[in-house]
Amino acid sequence: MDKPPFNPYIAVFIGVISVSTAAIFVKLAAEAPASIIANYRLLIAVLIMAPYIFWKYRHEFSKISLMDWILACFAGIFLALHFILWFESLNYTSVASSVVLVTMQPIFAFLGTYLFFQERFTAGALLSMVITLTGSVIIGWGDLQISGMALLGDILALLGGAMVTGYFLLGQNLRKRLSLMTYTFVVYAMASAVLIIYNLILQHPFTGYPSDHWWVFIALAIIPTFFGHTMFNWALRWLSTSTISMSILFEPLGASILAYIILGEMITWEQWLGGTIVIFGLMMFIFSTTKKMAPKLTRLSKANQETEK
């Protein structure tokens, strides 16, 4: 394997900081509906990618079968639902709670492989899932003391984690036949189309937002997407998938620190305790399932580095 031009751990560090900004940007665009924020994040990303994709990968489009277009459509629906639910959760609960709970995606991924690919549970995986769920219950209980709406935000964040897992599972077959760039571009475009239709049905305005919101939309498309997940994907050439997965678990910490500095959000003791337990459980889960899940989830992990939160 060739020598990297610079230390890949630096790329991972930049990636973690970049993805940690996603929830902050969503909070800063409070006057726009969650589905509009998600729409512009994906649409702007697609427009930025389009020239390169059509120059470098246009030959792949003629090879996409009807079934693959259908799979891409459903993957786009799940990705759109993920962004709607996660972004909406930030209207009700704190950045700390939302980001910790949506990061529980590896648990949903393992459950998905169990249901669809008959993956067996190990004792370590079961124990780590119990630990992780315990932490999420503590976060939910603490938020319930604040308000029922905060608990609703927690539930929406969990559902957002489940939806992005559906996106990964549906995308497995597509990733066998398409390059990562083409696959990502097609699904982003499908998700953006779904969001446009969704916003039209709900009659959400596409214009009329404050000028600073448009900068937020652009920042969401560039910083957590390209400087975040693209960095993770680049680092995968020299670092293991488990290393990247472990690094992403620091996103809740980065997001919480940024939320405190920029938004003035305080973290309750229930969020500290529950978040710590969730992260510990996820670390234990990744360690206990890395070897077992590697053959079936390699493509899922790579796809994960291309999305977001």
Side-chain angles (χ1 to χ4, degrees):
M1 185 174 292
D2 57 329
K3 185 178 179 181
F6 62 93
N7 192 325
Y9 286 101
I10 296 177
V12 170
F13 177 77
I14 294 172
V16 170
I17 297 300
S18 297
V19 297
S20 298
T21 63
I24 310 301
F25 285 133
V26 173
K27 286 274 194 178
L28 292 174
E31 293 185 32
S35 55
I36 286 291
I37 301 173
N39 193 162
Y40 280 119
R41 173 179 178 170
L42 290 173
L43 180 60
I44 293 171
V46 166
L47 293 175
I48 292 172
M49 294 172 68
Y52 180 73
I53 293 295
F54 288 115
W55 169 57
K56 190 85 172 179
Y57 296 93
R58 63 180 181 275
H59 63 281
E60 291 190 12
F61 288 92
S62 61
K63 300 177 183 178
I64 303 177
S65 67
L66 176 61
M67 181 54 67
D68 285 347
W69 282 114
I70 293 173
L71 284 174
C73 182
F74 280 101
I77 291 172
F78 274 94
L79 182 59
L81 290 173
H82 159 67
F83 279 123
I84 291 171
L85 290 165
W86 180 42
F87 287 3
E88 191 66 41
S89 76
L90 289 162
N91 289 325
Y92 300 104
T93 192
S94 67
V95 167
S97 293
S98 179
V99 177
V100 166
L101 293 172
V102 83
T103 306
M104 289 175 61
Q105 179 271 326
I107 301 295
F108 293 114
F110 196 82
L111 291 172
T113 59
Y114 172 78
L115 293 173
F116 296 105
F117 304 109
Q118 289 75 55
E119 185 67 64
R120 298 290 182 181
F121 287 103
T122 64
L126 286 171
L127 178 59
S128 61
M129 281 191 284
V130 170
I131 293 172
T132 303
L133 290 173
T134 301
S136 67
V137 169
I138 292 173
I139 292 174
W141 179 80
D143 284 349
L144 181 60
Q145 310 309 304
I146 299 173
S147 73
M149 300 307 289
L151 180 60
L152 173 61
D154 295 345
I155 294 171
L156 290 174
L158 281 172
L159 290 174
M163 291 301 105
V164 79
T165 302
Y167 155 68
F168 296 149
L169 293 174
L170 283 169
Q172 284 190 82
N173 287 330
L174 283 172
R175 284 292 291 119
K176 294 176 183 177
R177 293 176 293 279
L178 299 177
S179 67
L180 183 61
M181 288 295 292
T182 300
Y183 164 75
T184 303
F185 177 79
V186 168
V187 177
Y188 277 14
M190 289 289 185
S192 182
V194 169
L195 286 164
I196 289 173
I197 295 171
Y198 179 86
N199 285 311
L200 286 172
I201 292 173
L202 294 184
Q203 298 184 339
H204 288 156
F206 287 88
T207 59
Y209 300 106
S211 58
D212 61 328
H213 279 40
W214 294 100
W215 288 112
V216 168
F217 299 154
I218 294 171
L220 272 169
I222 295 175
I223 298 176
T225 303
F226 298 127
F227 284 98
H229 301 291
T230 299
M231 284 291 187
F232 291 141
N233 194 53
W234 177 85
L236 275 171
R237 183 177 178 86
W238 295 279
L239 301 177
S240 67
T241 300
S242 60
T243 299
I244 301 298
S245 298
M246 291 297 292
S247 69
I248 293 174
L249 294 183
F250 287 97
E251 179 188 352
L253 176 61
S256 298
I257 293 173
L258 289 174
Y260 174 75
I261 295 173
I262 299 172
L263 305 176
E265 284 193 0
M266 304 299 293
I267 302 178
T268 66
W269 73 266
E270 292 95 346
Q271 290 170 334
W272 274 115
L273 177 61
T276 301
I277 292 173
V278 168
I279 299 303
F280 174 77
L282 288 172
M283 292 175 68
M284 180 178 175
F285 177 83
I286 291 171
F287 279 129
S288 65
T289 58
T290 295
K291 292 183 179 180
K292 190 175 182 60
M293 294 172 68
K296 293 182 178 179
L297 289 184
T298 297
R299 289 184 298 278
L300 288 179
S301 297
K302 290 183 178 180
N304 191 15
Q305 271 87 67
E306 285 295 308
T307 59
E308 107 198 194
K309 301 246 179 124

